[in-house]
Amino acid sequence: MLSQTLLAASRSTRMRGVITGVPLTRRVVDRFVAGDNLDQAGLVISGLVGEGLAVTVDRLGEDTLDAAAAAATRDAYLEMLKRFADLGIAHRTEVSLKLSALGQKLPKDAEKIALENAIAIAEAARDAGTTMTLDMEDHTTVDATLGALRELRGEFPWVGVAIQAALFRTEGDITDLATAGSRVRLVKGAYMEPASVAHQEKHEVDKAYVRAMKTLMRSSAYPMIASHDQRMIDIAHALVAETGREQDSHEFQMLHGIRTTEQHALVAGGDTMRVYVPFGDDWYGYFMRRLAERPANVMFFLNSLVKR
């Protein structure tokens, strides 16, 4: 119930004003968001790479309804990728992007504009010597996102995509995506979806996640296991042993600021561990979804508000 309430709040303009208006909120946000701008984020990212972690970077923002704003997002990613190349960390630092931030929901020529912007970012990623992954948003965007993925992979076969285990359709999508070299980030899902399209109970989502993980691990795809759930990590390791996968044929992913000790433990064990690092001043929706995912995040937030 708490998670559903927080997910609803993530879309609420009124709640956005309430939460962002609390001065101490920013102190909590800093745990999950690596600054408002690229200079601040660059320091965090360089530090993580220096600790042996890989990184994927998200410039926060979504549901763009203005073509100029979508172009500005594209240009910000181009600048970001050039910066990573200049810093010599591009080989360990890819980018994650939401197609809705690139124009997927524009009133006119939405899919064309979003795809053109994504192609420009993919070209910059290739030139920098790295990759990119398409974030998945709510269920209404899945077909459009997978359509864009197919177009992008014609020239950039290394483009990855996030797939949400909570959706009923995911088993079919995972089967289609489980091809040689296909980079697939498997997540549980962080959006409030109706019962007609998604599992509502945690144990059902967990079972769906494991089914999808088995399909990926037993295929020739490149699974990106994005979970903070230790049971899922243990199952992934068991599947690696069962299938005889090499350690460079898959990776684990976690969010910046969550389970950092476990992140370093995975690196120490020889795994590739990639940290999802968001930055930017449009942090509200992302922040609320992080609170919804784990009750411990809510307690951290509340404790920070009372401990001055």
Side-chain angles (χ1 to χ4, degrees):
M1 182 64 72
L2 177 60
S3 292
Q4 295 296 311
T5 301
L6 290 167
L7 288 173
S10 73
R11 296 284 189 177
S12 168
T13 302
R14 178 175 174 274
M15 285 303 298
R16 175 187 287 264
V18 172
I19 296 297
T20 57
V22 178
L24 289 177
T25 298
R26 184 67 219 201
R27 192 168 72 190
V28 187
V29 171
D30 287 341
R31 170 176 173 172
F32 306 109
V33 178
D36 287 338
N37 56 56
L38 182 56
D39 288 338
Q40 294 170 345
L43 293 174
V44 173
I45 293 161
S46 294
L48 292 170
V49 171
E51 294 168 4
L53 295 154
V55 177
T56 185
V57 187
D58 171 26
R59 181 182 183 271
L60 293 171
E62 53 195 84
D63 297 340
T64 298
L65 299 177
D66 178 76
T73 296
R74 175 203 63 210
D75 292 345
Y77 273 96
L78 302 186
E79 178 189 1
M80 191 190 313
L81 286 159
K82 184 178 184 305
R83 177 78 62 88
F84 298 153
D86 290 344
L87 290 172
I89 61 173
H91 65 295
R92 299 285 290 174
T93 308
E94 67 142 33
V95 293
S96 287
L97 51 102
K98 291 179 174 60
L99 290 178
S100 76
L102 296 175
Q104 192 182 56
K105 295 188 177 182
L106 292 175
K108 183 179 179 182
D109 297 327
E111 292 189 12
K112 175 177 178 290
I113 291 171
L115 180 60
E116 288 174 350
N117 287 334
I119 289 171
I121 296 169
E123 289 173 343
R126 179 185 58 196
D127 292 345
T130 188
T131 58
M132 78 180 198
T133 297
L134 302 181
D135 282 335
M136 192 62 74
E137 302 178 67
D138 67 54
H139 76 279
T140 64
T141 69
V142 176
D143 285 328
T145 300
L146 292 179
L149 178 73
R150 285 190 292 272
E151 294 288 339
L152 287 162
R153 282 187 171 177
E155 185 174 355
F156 314 101
W158 37 260
V159 172
V161 69
I163 295 292
Q164 301 173 98
L167 298 178
F168 296 146
R169 62 174 291 168
T170 287
E171 288 192 58
D173 290 335
I174 284 287
T175 299
D176 292 341
L177 289 165
T179 56
S182 176
R183 298 174 60 250
V184 180
R185 176 194 295 153
L186 181 62
V187 302
K188 290 186 178 181
Y191 291 86
M192 184 171 64
E193 304 285 15
S196 58
V197 302
H199 301 289
Q200 303 296 300
E201 301 297 329
K202 181 182 182 303
H203 70 278
E204 292 296 340
V205 176
D206 286 352
K207 289 192 290 186
Y209 192 97
V210 172
R211 290 193 298 270
M213 185 161 46
K214 286 180 177 178
T215 298
L216 287 173
M217 285 291 195
R218 292 169 178 168
S219 76
S220 55
Y222 181 87
M224 300 183 284
I225 306 303
S227 178
H228 307 101
D229 187 333
Q230 189 60 47
R231 292 185 306 124
M232 298 302 148
I233 295 169
D234 291 342
I235 292 170
H237 278 137
L239 287 168
V240 167
E242 172 196 304
T243 57
R245 273 186 170 271
E246 299 294 331
Q247 285 188 309
D248 62 356
S249 69
H250 62 279
E251 66 184 52
F252 292 92
Q253 296 191 0
M254 292 188 193
L255 299 172
H256 173 55
I258 299 179
R259 296 205 72 196
T260 55
T261 298
E262 178 60 27
Q263 291 177 17
H264 288 94
L266 287 168
V267 172
D271 288 305
T272 297
M273 171 64 232
R274 191 176 302 276
V275 184
Y276 187 100
V277 178
F279 78 95
D281 55 12
D282 189 9
W283 49 260
Y284 175 75
Y286 176 85
F287 175 65
M288 294 303 289
R289 289 194 293 273
R290 298 297 76 78
L291 294 185
E293 284 175 344
R294 300 180 72 230
N297 291 342
V298 179
M299 293 307 300
F300 176 80
F301 179 38
L302 295 176
N303 287 336
S304 294
L305 292 181
V306 298
K307 293 178 180 176
R308 305 192 57 164

